[in-house]
Amino acid sequence: RNGKIIGRERMFLSGVHEQKMSHILAGFMKQFYLDSDFLPQEILLQSQPEEDESLAMWLSDKKGKKVTLTVPQRGEKAKLVRLSLQNAQLLLGENLRKRKRRRELVPDMVQQLQTDLNLEVPPRRIEAFDISNIQGSNPVGSMVCFMDGVAKKSEYRKFKIKTVKGVDDFAMIREVVLRRYRRLKSEQAALPDLILIDGGKGQLGMAVSALQELGLSYISVIGLAKRLEEVFISGSSDPQNIPKSSPSLFMLRRIRDEAHRFAVSFHRQRRAKSITKSLFDDVKGVGPVIRKKLYDKFQNLESIAQASSSEIKEKIGVALPLATKIIKAARQKTANEL
């Protein structure tokens, strides 16, 4: 107040416990006022900073007027300094308590994964990707999300491959990762702490390429190969040395397997729809509505072929002659596949 400012000690500096208060104060003030647009005429401090005269001269030159450094011992100014220190201690204590609570809330296996992968932050949100296709037929991608090691199914996403032709799992991974994080970036939505790719170095490299294109290369990404359950990280040709008994590796496997299950399930749905649509295209009277009912009421083509005409009639709501044609077409298709 009145052009004065209280020296504030709210900055956390590594190694300050090994330094003298005079040195800490001088370093703090230089950093604090280096880019500050406001400089008071008088600064109140709890103790004298190191090289106080040269520091006061530097501040005066920066302000264009004389700046005084004062260490009050009594009176209103001394009360202001004591109040400032009390507030700083309270804020520091609260900050430390919050940090402790956050650490306590992170599950052990997530903390272990942070250690095993040498990550800067606990990987609390993990998003995992997989690709499913049969000889390039109906290729799809999946993305599953785990928070603190628990599946968050509302965040799961399915992808129909749009740009890749033929069998190219590497390019498909790149497409899916690119589409996922391009959208999150445009929506300014929360990004994951860790991305898990179902695959080895090849799939990992394509995911990293997609993130680099989006300017998101700072996100940690790993690949988990199925054959030897090896974990690969970007920039290293050798797998990570994670103990096979580590709980973090079990968590990664579980997440990878869930991504695989989700991808396979989506692929089967698409393939069943594709087969059902193409199969009954030549059956007069079977349009999109009836095809959808067939898909909804029967698990697969075999179950349609094994049904009776009356069952088809009842479940789909068609006349008996059309039900017979549907069964005949299904049986012909299944017989050709044997």
Side-chain angles (χ1 to χ4, degrees), residues 54-320:
S54 61
L55 181 59
M57 187 179 299
W58 173 72
L59 292 169
S60 298
D61 289 341
K62 191 174 189 309
K63 181 176 177 62
K65 293 181 180 180
K66 184 178 180 180
V67 175
T68 303
L69 304 182
T70 305
V71 182
Q73 301 299 319
R74 61 181 64 85
E76 183 66 22
K77 292 180 180 180
K79 289 181 181 179
L80 287 173
V81 171
R82 287 196 296 271
L83 179 62
S84 176
L85 289 173
Q86 290 172 3
N87 290 339
Q89 289 169 353
L90 289 173
L91 288 171
L92 174 60
E94 180 62 23
N95 186 281
L96 292 175
R97 283 192 293 274
K98 287 181 179 179
R99 288 186 177 188
K100 183 179 179 182
R101 284 197 296 269
R102 285 197 294 267
R103 286 197 299 268
E104 291 173 348
L105 291 173
V106 178
D108 291 341
M109 58 184 174
V110 175
Q111 294 184 23
Q112 184 62 51
L113 182 57
Q114 180 185 7
T115 300
D116 288 341
L117 296 178
N118 194 29
L119 301 174
E120 293 184 2
V121 297
R124 305 192 69 173
R125 182 186 180 97
I126 301 175
E127 294 186 354
F129 294 84
D130 190 22
I131 298 295
S132 181
N133 69 92
I134 298 177
Q135 297 180 345
S137 172
N138 301 297
V140 298
S142 71
M143 191 283 294
V144 299
C145 177
F146 278 64
M147 291 291 296
D148 286 336
V150 179
K152 192 172 182 180
K153 296 193 174 183
S154 62
E155 298 285 338
Y156 284 20
R157 295 293 183 269
K158 301 172 181 177
F159 300 87
K160 296 178 183 178
I161 301 300
K162 298 179 178 180
T163 63
V164 181
K165 304 299 181 182
V167 184
D168 190 343
D169 286 2
F170 295 167
M172 292 178 188
I173 279 287
R174 191 181 194 283
E175 177 190 325
V176 171
V177 172
L178 193 65
R179 286 166 55 189
R180 168 64 176 170
Y181 297 114
R182 179 185 287 137
R183 178 163 186 170
L184 289 191
K185 188 176 179 181
S186 67
E187 295 175 350
Q188 297 184 336
L191 295 167
D193 302 307
L194 178 67
I195 297 172
L196 171 61
I197 304 297
D198 184 0
K201 290 181 286 186
Q203 288 89 343
L204 174 62
M206 298 303 280
V208 170
S209 172
L211 292 174
Q212 289 175 340
E213 180 175 331
L214 296 171
L216 299 175
S217 56
Y218 57 86
I219 301 178
S220 298
V221 54
I222 62 174
L224 179 56
K226 287 188 179 72
R227 190 169 64 88
L228 298 176
E229 301 291 7
E230 293 176 328
V231 178
F232 291 90
I233 65 172
S234 175
S236 176
S237 59
D238 298 322
Q240 294 300 288
N241 187 23
I242 300 178
K244 297 299 182 183
S245 59
S246 173
S248 69
L249 186 56
F250 284 114
M251 181 175 67
L252 289 178
R253 288 172 180 166
R254 184 160 53 86
I255 296 173
R256 187 273 315 277
D257 291 345
E258 174 66 358
H260 180 70
R261 180 204 65 79
F262 192 51
V264 170
S265 175
F266 183 37
H267 178 258
R268 285 174 177 168
Q269 291 175 7
R270 285 207 68 207
R271 185 167 179 266
K273 285 184 177 180
S274 175
I275 291 174
T276 303
K277 181 178 179 180
S278 60
L279 171 64
F280 298 112
D281 277 348
D282 296 331
V283 178
K284 189 176 181 179
V286 177
V289 174
I290 294 179
R291 283 200 298 267
K292 185 178 185 306
K293 287 183 179 180
L294 285 167
Y295 173 71
D296 292 339
K297 299 295 183 180
F298 293 90
Q299 293 182 348
N300 49 44
L301 188 62
E302 288 74 15
S303 61
I304 297 175
Q306 294 170 4
S308 64
S309 298
S310 58
E311 184 180 0
I312 297 290
K313 175 185 176 182
E314 181 180 345
K315 289 186 176 181
I316 307 303
V318 297
L320 196 61

